[in-house]
C-alpha cells in the first residue's frame, strides 16, 4: 500500500487518529503534519524572499472580462448597428419617431430577438444587415452580457442575504459562508426579485408614457422579456423607445439568467441529495473490496476518501489515474512517499517533472 498511503500527506491533518485499516504499514509512512497548505508555504517563502506572491483573484471573470470591455463590446455593436440602420432608414418601414433613436432601438430589438414588427427591413440590403446583426447580437448576449450579469448577481448576493437576515446578527464571514454554501439558491432569488422589479417598472412606464391600459402594459412587458414580441403592444413614442433601449437589454438577459440559475439550483439539489446518501449509507464488505485500490485486503484513509469522492461523482477513475501517474514521476526514489529530496532529484534529472 506504499503508493496509496503516500496520498495521506495530502489530507487534512488530524490528532490522535486511529487507523482501522493498514496499521501494519504505519512505521513506513512519512507524513507532513503541518496544517499549512503547500500553496500557503509557497506564498510565505515568496514573501520572505521579497517576491510578490501570485495570489489568485477572487473572481476568474474579473480577470477575463472587465466591465470596460463589456461596455466597449456593447457600444461597438450599438454604434455600428445604429450607423448602418440609420443609413438605410428609408429602407425600413413601420412606426418611426427619430432616425437615430429608431436605428438604436431596432438594433436592440434585433440583438435580443424581441422582434416586435413595428420596424421591419424592406429591402435586400436592410434584410442582409438584419441577418448579420441578429447573429452577432445573440453571440454578444450569450457570451459577454450574460457573463457580466452573472458577475453582478454574485456581487448583489451579499446584499440580498443581509436583507433576508436583517433582524439576525451575522458577521461578514458568516454572510460570505452562507452565500458560498447556498450560491445557486441566492443567485436565483436575487435575480427573481430583480425580474419582479423590472416587470413593475416596465408595466408602469407603458401605462404612463405609452398610454396602454394596466393589463395591456403588463401583457406587453411579458411579451417583451420572454422575447415573444407579438408586436401588437410595443414602444411607439420617442421617450418609450429611449427607455426600451436600456430596459429590453436588461430584462431579457435577466430572465435568461433566471432560468439558468433555476437549472443550477435543481442540479445542486440533486448533487447534495447524492452526497448525503453516500455519506449516510452503511459500508458493506463489497464496498471495502471496491475501495481497496491495491488489493491488499486493507483500506487506508486515502483509499477510503478516494472511494467516497468517486461515489459522490466529484472525481472519476481517470482523474485518479492521472494523479497517480504524476505521483509516480515525482517519486524519484520509488519509496511510495514524496520528500524534498525526491523533488530535487526530479528537477535535476528530468526537466519534464
Amino acid at each position: 500500500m506504499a503508493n496509496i498511503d503516500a496520498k495521506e500527506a495530502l489530507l487534512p491533518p488530524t490528532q490522535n487518529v486511529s487507523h482501522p485499516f493498514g496499521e501494519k504499514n504505519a512505521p513506513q509512512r512519512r507524513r507532513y503534519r503541518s496544517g499549512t497548505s503547500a500553496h500557503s508555504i509557497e506564498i510565505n517563502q515568496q514573501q520572505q524572499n521579497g517576491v510578490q506572491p501570485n495570489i489568485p483573484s477572487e473572481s476568474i471573470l474579473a480577470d477575463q472580462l472587465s466591465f470596460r470591455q463589456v461596455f466597449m463590446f456593447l457600444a461597438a455593436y450599438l454604434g455600428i448597428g445604429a450607423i448602418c440602420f440609420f443609413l438605410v432608414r428609408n429602407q425600413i418601414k413601420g412606426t418611426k419617431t427619430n432616425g437615430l433613436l429608431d436605428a438604436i432601438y431596432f438594433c436592440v430589438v434585433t440583438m435580443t430577438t424581441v422582434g416586435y414588427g413595428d420596424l421591419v427591413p424592406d429591402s435586400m440590403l436592410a434584410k442582409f444587415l438584419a441577418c448579420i446583426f441578429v447573429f452577432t447580437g445573440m453571440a454578444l448576449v450569450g457570451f459577454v452580457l450574460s457573463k457580466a450579469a452573472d458577475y453582478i448577481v454574485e456581487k448583489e448576493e451579499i446584499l440580498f442575504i443581509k436583507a433576508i437576515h436583517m433582524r439576525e446578527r451575522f458577521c461578514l464571514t458568516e454572510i460570505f459562508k452562507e452565500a458560498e454554501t447556498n450560491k445557486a439558491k441566492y443567485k436565483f432569488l436575487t435575480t427573481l426579485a430583480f425580474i419582479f422589479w423590472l416587470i413593475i417598472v416596465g408595466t408602469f412606464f407603458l401605462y404612463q408614457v405609452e398610454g396602454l391600459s394596466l393589463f395591456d402594459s403588463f401583457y406587453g412587458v411579458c411579451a417583451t422579456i420572454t422575447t415573444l414580441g407579438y408586436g401588437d403592444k410595443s414602444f411607439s413614442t420617442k421617450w418609450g423607445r429611449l427607455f426600451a433601449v436600456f430596459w429590453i437589454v436588461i430584462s431579457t438577459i435577466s430572465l435568461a439568467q433566471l432560468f439558468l440559475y433555476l437549472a443550477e439550483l435543481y442540479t445542486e439539489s440533486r448533487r447534495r441529495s447524492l452526497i448525503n446518501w453516500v455519506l449516510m449509507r452503511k459500508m458493506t464488505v463489497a464496498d471495502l473490496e471496491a475501495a481497496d485500490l491495491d488489493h491488499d485486503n486493507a483500506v487506508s484513509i486515502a483509499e477510503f476518501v478516494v472511494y467516497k469522492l468517486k461515489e459522490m461523482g466529484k472525481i472519476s477513475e481517470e482523474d485518479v489515474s492521472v494523479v497517480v501517474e504524476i505521483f509516480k514521476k515525482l517519486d524519484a526514489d520509488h519509496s511510495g512517499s514524496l520528500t524534498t529530496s525526491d523533488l530535487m532529484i526530479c528537477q535535476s534529472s528530468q526537466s519534464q517533472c
Side-chain angles (χ1 to χ4, degrees), residues 66-77 144-145:
S66 68
F67 284 103
R68 180 178 297 179
Q69 290 175 315
V70 171
F71 178 78
M72 289 176 59
F73 279 123
L74 184 59
Y77 175 86
V144 180
L145 299 184

Side-chain angles (χ1 to χ4, degrees), residues 120-344:
V120 293
D122 195 33
S123 69
M124 185 177 295
L125 176 60
K127 291 177 181 178
F128 179 72
L129 289 174
C131 291
I132 294 176
F133 277 90
V134 71
F135 284 111
T136 54
M138 291 176 66
L140 178 66
V141 170
F143 178 69
V144 180
L145 299 184
S146 62
K147 291 184 181 297
D150 184 63
Y151 179 72
I152 294 173
V153 169
E154 287 186 356
K155 294 299 182 183
E156 296 300 322
E157 277 182 272
I158 305 302
L159 297 177
F160 187 79
I161 296 172
K162 287 181 179 179
I164 292 178
H165 303 286
M166 62 185 303
R167 295 186 178 181
E168 304 174 20
R169 293 184 177 179
F170 281 101
C171 66
L172 190 59
T173 304
E174 292 174 332
I175 291 176
F176 276 111
K177 183 178 180 181
E178 174 71 11
E180 186 64 29
T181 304
N182 301 287
K183 180 180 289 291
K185 171 186 172 183
Y186 286 115
K187 286 169 73 172
F188 173 77
L189 292 177
T190 303
T191 309
L192 182 62
F194 187 56
I195 286 289
F196 275 124
W197 182 79
L198 287 172
I199 290 176
I200 293 172
V201 171
T203 301
F204 179 78
F205 190 91
L206 284 172
Y207 176 74
Q208 290 290 330
V209 178
E210 297 292 337
L212 301 178
S213 67
L214 194 60
F215 181 79
D216 284 343
S217 299
F218 175 73
Y219 163 77
V221 164
C222 293
T224 300
I225 65 175
T226 56
T227 68
L228 283 174
Y230 289 127
D232 51 343
K233 307 297 178 186
S234 62
F235 298 90
S236 57
T237 65
K238 182 183 297 185
W239 289 107
R241 289 186 174 175
L242 181 61
F243 169 79
V245 166
F246 301 96
W247 182 82
I248 290 176
V249 173
I250 298 172
S251 59
T252 52
I253 293 176
S254 298
L255 186 65
Q257 292 297 112
L258 179 70
F259 288 113
L260 174 63
Y261 297 146
L262 181 61
E264 287 184 5
L265 185 62
Y266 175 75
T267 304
E268 180 70 14
S269 176
R270 292 291 301 272
R271 186 184 68 84
R272 289 188 178 184
S273 298
L274 175 62
I275 291 175
N276 290 334
W277 177 81
V278 169
L279 295 177
M280 298 302 294
R281 78 180 188 88
K282 296 181 179 180
M283 290 288 292
T284 63
V285 175
D287 291 325
L288 291 180
E289 292 176 353
D292 186 12
L293 298 179
D294 57 357
H295 308 291
D296 66 343
N297 298 321
V299 177
S300 67
I301 293 180
E303 287 177 315
F304 182 78
V305 170
V306 169
Y307 177 71
K308 283 297 182 181
L309 289 177
K310 287 168 63 178
E311 267 196 320
M312 294 175 188
K314 292 182 176 292
I315 60 174
S316 64
E317 189 68 37
E318 290 76 13
D319 298 328
V320 176
S321 300
V322 171
V323 174
V324 169
E325 288 301 318
I326 295 174
F327 179 87
K328 289 180 179 179
K329 289 180 179 180
L330 293 174
D331 186 14
D333 58 2
H334 306 288
S335 63
S337 59
L338 295 180
T339 61
T340 54
S341 60
D342 288 323
L343 297 180
M344 295 175 64

